[in-house]
Every structure is written in structure tokens, then in C-alpha cells.
Amino acid sequence: MFLSHPPPAIQPSYYTVNFSPRCTSKPPSCYVAVNNPSTSGAKTSNNQLIQSLCKEGNLKQALRVLSQESSPSQQTYELLILCCGHRSSLSDALRVHRHILDNGSDQDPFLATKLIAMYSELGSVDYARKVFDKTRKRTIYVWNALFRALTLAGHGEEVLGLYWKMNRIGVESDRFTYTYVLKACVASECTADHLTKGKEIHAHLTRRGYNSHVYIMTTLLDMYARFGCVDYASNVFDGMPVRNVVSWSAMIACYAKNGKAFEALRTFREMMTETKDSSPNSVTMVSVLQACASLAALEQGRLIHGYILRRGLDSILPVISALVTMYGRCGRLEVGQRVFDGMRERDVVSWNSLISSYGVHGYGRKAIQIFEEMLANGASPTPVTFVSVLGACSHEGLVEEGKRLFESMWKDHGIQPQVEHYACMVDLLGRANRLDEAAKMVQDMRTEPGPKVWGSLLGSCRIHGNVELAERASRRLFALEPKNAGNYVLLADIYAEAQMWDKVKKVKKLLEYRGLQKLPGRCWMEVRRKMYSFVSVDEFNPLMEQIHALLVKLAEDMKEKGYVPQTKGVLYDLETEEKERIVLGHSEKLALAFGLINTAKGEPIRITKNLRLCEDCHLFTKFISKFMEKEILVRDVNRFHRFKNGVCSCGDYW
């Protein structure tokens, strides 16, 4: 028996209980009725008393009575096991387990299932596995209990191995089995091998006819979503004969977290139209707010905020934190601040949301101030907190402040810097044109820098035109991310600015050879609660002719006022006029012209872009904000730009 000797962490006294019914110590007066085992009703009385004590939460007293009972019933053991789990007492759990072993009830599959669940609840998955290993008669419930315990502990690989073993010996899965093994696919690191196994499980449950079970299919959908397989998840969702609020929420979250914000909002509208018996819950609202934030859909975000207030969801922390982020990402920092100020309680996620909001707007000093307020209020920072505050320092060029915060991570808060934090520091140093210092930080890293760090260095080289260091960073990136077209395009941009056209051609040939294409620039904007999307070549927009005509007229008028098109980023060796025509067709200019046509006087224009704002679009928008007396907010992949009276809030530092 694996519990015959107590582990070092448990006091031996827990195992010196006299299991004989002849106990010499005098019991409390309330136990007098149970100390006469010769009476016919003694066993029944003992079992009933133990069960009553467990239901009342009096575990210690129940264990004293247990020592007087030689034949506890299955229900008695079950309640003792449940009570140990609820009381979070491993020592008492081991004591009950030892009693079960000595009593010979350890081969009861029902009790084995309860013991595994108990040890899982106590965070002792090794003990749970030992119970399983010692159980000779393993019902599907015993298997499922272990699958659940291992999955919750993050041992997904072990679950999948046991699942295949279970299939080989002929134990048939039930609906709980499929739920647990699908969760196991994403319980640990998500790899291509785990995705393959998830697809095999999908095939298994389909052959067994479980593809009509809403809970299994929702778990399957979520598994595909975690791997970023949006099309697979969508196919699962579309094929579900019945959907509940959890499955709708899972699909919305899948879209929101995988760059499909349009689809997330569309699915939410369908949910509101089609569901009659269930309403969106807090999980749904968080995902919908994330989608609004991604698209800077302020008006739709306001509608969602009103719905949250009407449903009484404004007391749920994740929802309010998502509201703070949404308003910040939609350019309404002051509203996000008011939402934050009105919170009755705050957690670190709430603080992170506010810090990140100020950071993305370039208010680094304000972000640091909020970080210090968070510490003063007793909240402990997380790794995400430091990503937010270091990013904020980068946007405002606060090098010394950023270095101080970076050092404080392990010195003051015991947080070991991760790749994301090094990437922030490399970006901070690189943007400030301290490229040698940034390169040394990369060189001194104890772990492999990875794509994020090298990408930050390459981006900084793009800003300052450092060809030599860019080539070094790109070599590492091409090896780490051979299929990421953005790295090749960034290097080609650097070569183009340096007028190194032969090398530009080589990079473009490499892109073609590897079958890669540059990610097209795309912009979004909201006009009267409708979302519009723009790409550089958009022949399907009925207003395109009018938009192009307006852009040509604006460019001609602004040239008279000093506007000079910035064409150095065009990756073709062309005549100046042709380069100007190319940059005039950028998606952010199309969105800007559409906004000028469709917004009222005094109404700001809000645009979101999937890439970094180019130099010409930045300059063009500054001129437009002054020329047309219009406030324009553009959020690119890095930060917010607020243009007003010919000036940008970034101070031309982005």
C-alpha cells in the first residue's frame, strides 16, 4: 500500500490512530450513544453521526467518531472524502484514505473516483495518480476522474497517452471523457502534435455519434480556437444543432482573439437575434468589448456599455476592466478613466487596463504614475503590468525610467523578466537611437531572444536606417520565422530607404521563392454605428471614384501649403510621380477621405490600421487636420496618433 509510510511533510501522529473499536479515551458526552458497539443500532448510529458531522463541516469530530467505527458505509466514506476536499486538509485526507485501505474498501471504484477528485481538489495530483494505479477495476468514471485531475493540473500530454491506452483495452468513452481529453489538448503547451491529436479525437467522437452534444462540441470549438484554427472552429459552430450561451460565447471569443473582430460583432448580433432562452453573460460581454476595442468601434462599444448597465453586469471585474480598455482603444481615455474611478473594487487586471490605455496613447509619465498608485494601493504587479508600463515608456522615449522599472522587476517584485519584457526594452532603447545598447542587451540575454526581441531590434533599425544591424537581426528572424513575410518586407524597406535597390530585389525574390506575400494594409472606421473596411486596392467600394478624386484634390491643394510626399518607403525604383500615386492609395488615406465625406463638421474621425502608420500618411494626416480643421485619431499597430491643428500627439516619435 502506497500510504503505509507517511511522507516527510506529514506528522506521524496522524497515522497513530487506534482503529480498534475499543478506545480507552473517554469521549465527549455527545458521543456516549456511539461507544457501545454491542448494541444492534451502533453501526448505524456511528455512520449517521459521521455523516451529520461532515455535512455540518465538523471534520475533526467526524474523524474521532470514525476511529470508533470498524465498518463505515460507502456514503460515510464519500462524505468524509468530500469534507476533506472542502476543508483543504491533505493530512486529514490521507488519514481517511488510510482508513479506507485498512478497511479493504480501496478497490471500490466509486470511492476511488471520489479519492481522485479529492486529491485533485487538494492539488495533490501525484496521490490521485497513485489511487488510479492501485485500482484494479477501473470503470469509465475512474478514468474520467483521473483525466479531469491531470487536465486541471496541466498534464495534458499524460492524459492523451492514457486516453489511447484506454481505447486499446476496450474501455468505451462517454461524453465526459471527450470533454476532458479535448481540454487536455490545450492544457499544456499547444503544439502541432496536440492539434493533430485533437483532430483525431474529433473523428472519434463523430464516429460515436457525440457530435450533437452541445457541451462536447463547445469544448471542441474552444480547442480549435486555442490553436488559432478559426475556420475549423467556425465549421464546428455552424454544424451544432443546438447552441447555448457558452457555445455562442466561445465562438465570439474565438473571433475576437484571432483578429476577426468584424466576425465577432456579427456573431454577437446573430446571438441577440436568435437566442430566446438565454442572454449573453459576462464572458460574452468581455469578448464583444475586445472586438469593439480592436476596431475602435466607439458607438457600438457605448451600446454594449448601456446593455451591461441594464443587465447589472457592471459589478463584474473582468467586464469593467474590458470597458476601460475599450474606451482607451477607442480614443476616449477620459471615459475609461471615469469607469475606472467608479469601480468599487479593483484587481491587477483593472490597473493593467488603465496603464495600457495611457501607454498606447503615448502618455508614458501618466502610465508610470498609475503604476505607482497601484503599488500604493497594495496591488502586486504581474508580468503583464510590466509589459504595459515598459511599453508606455517606449512610446514617450522615457529610457532611464524604463531601465529603472526593468531592474525593479526582480529586485523589488521577484518577477523574472521574460522575452516580452526584453522586447519592450530593446524597443525602448532602439527608438531612442541607442541601438548599440539595445544590441548589447540582446547579446547578454540568458535565454534565446526569440522573434519578438529580434523583431523589436529590426523595427528600430527601420526607424534609424541602420543597415548593418538590420541585416544581423533579419538573419536571425529568417531562421526563427521563415514564413513571416513582415520581416522580409521590413528589411526591404530599410534597403529601399538606403537606395540599395539590388538588395531590395534580392529580398523580393526571396519572398517570391518562399511563396510569401506582404500583409496588405487595411484600415477600419465606424460611421453611424456601421463598420467600414479599406484596403489599398478596393474596386468594390462604390464611393472609390469619389474618394480618389477627393484625395487627388487634397494632395494638390496641400502641396501649395508645403506638403511634400514621402516616397522613400516605396519598394520600387520608379519615377517620383508614380511613387506619389502609390502612396496616395494607402488604406489610411482612403479611410480618411471616406471620413471627410461622411462625418459632420466638428465630429472627429477615428481610424484603425493593422500595420505601422507610414511617414507619408502621418504627414498627410497632419496637413489634413489643419487644412480641414478636423480632429483625426489613428490607431496603428503600435500606438494612438491624435492629429489636431497640424500636430500629432506622438510628437513625430513613433
Side-chain angles (χ1 to χ4, degrees), residues 23 34 44 77 96 103 126 175 211 232 257 263 304 404 408 438 471 500 512 544 567 606 629-630 647:
C23 182
V34 306
T44 302
Y77 277 137
V96 171
N103 185 260
D126 289 341
R175 63 190 182 95
N211 53 344
Y232 281 105
K257 293 176 181 176
E263 290 81 355
I304 300 300
R404 175 179 57 78
S408 75
E471 290 177 333
M500 301 169 70
E512 185 178 348
M544 195 51 63
T567 61
R606 292 182 175 84
E629 297 182 349
K630 196 81 168 172
V647 177

Side-chain angles (χ1 to χ4, degrees), residues 516-573:
L516 305 176
Q517 289 186 336
K518 177 183 177 181
L519 181 67
R522 181 179 292 274
C523 285
W524 298 270
M525 70 179 304
E526 183 185 40
V527 176
R528 290 183 284 277
R529 295 179 183 171
K530 283 188 177 181
M531 296 304 303
Y532 296 87
S533 175
F534 303 87
V535 291
S536 295
V537 179
D538 194 347
E539 298 175 354
F540 300 102
N541 192 321
L543 289 173
M544 195 51 63
E545 186 175 341
Q546 184 182 358
I547 288 172
H548 277 299
L550 176 59
L551 285 172
V552 170
K553 179 69 167 62
L554 288 171
E556 290 175 354
D557 291 344
M558 288 192 301
K559 281 181 181 179
E560 296 178 2
K561 298 181 180 296
Y563 164 64
V564 178
Q566 304 295 300
T567 61
K568 58 183 179 180
V570 177
L571 300 181
Y572 301 94
D573 190 8

Side-chain angles (χ1 to χ4, degrees), residues 26 41 58 77 96 191 225 227 402 508 530 534 543 552 632 649:
K26 185 178 180 180
N58 295 327
Y77 277 137
V96 171
T191 66
F227 283 103
K508 290 170 71 174
K530 283 188 177 181
F534 303 87
L543 289 173
V552 170
I632 304 162
S649 61

Side-chain angles (χ1 to χ4, degrees), residues 421-438:
H421 304 108
Y422 280 102
C424 288
M425 287 304 298
V426 170
D427 186 66
L428 170 62
L429 294 167
R431 286 178 185 275
N433 203 13
R434 294 166 69 161
L435 287 168
D436 290 341
E437 199 173 338

Side-chain angles (χ1 to χ4, degrees), residues 207-266:
R207 287 196 296 270
R208 293 286 311 282
Y210 281 98
N211 53 344
S212 61
H213 285 251
V214 63
Y215 295 109
I216 294 176
M217 300 312 285
T218 300
T219 307
L220 178 64
L221 187 164
D222 186 61
M223 185 271 292
Y224 281 130
R226 299 284 187 92
F227 283 103
C229 300
V230 180
D231 290 340
Y232 281 105
S234 180
N235 288 336
V236 170
F237 182 76
D238 291 340
M240 293 177 69
V242 178
R243 299 165 183 162
N244 60 15
V245 65
V246 179
S247 49
W248 281 101
S249 298
M251 193 66 244
I252 294 168
C254 174
Y255 284 134
K257 293 176 181 176
N258 287 284
K260 302 280 186 180
F262 268 112
E263 290 81 355
L265 293 179
R266 184 201 68 222

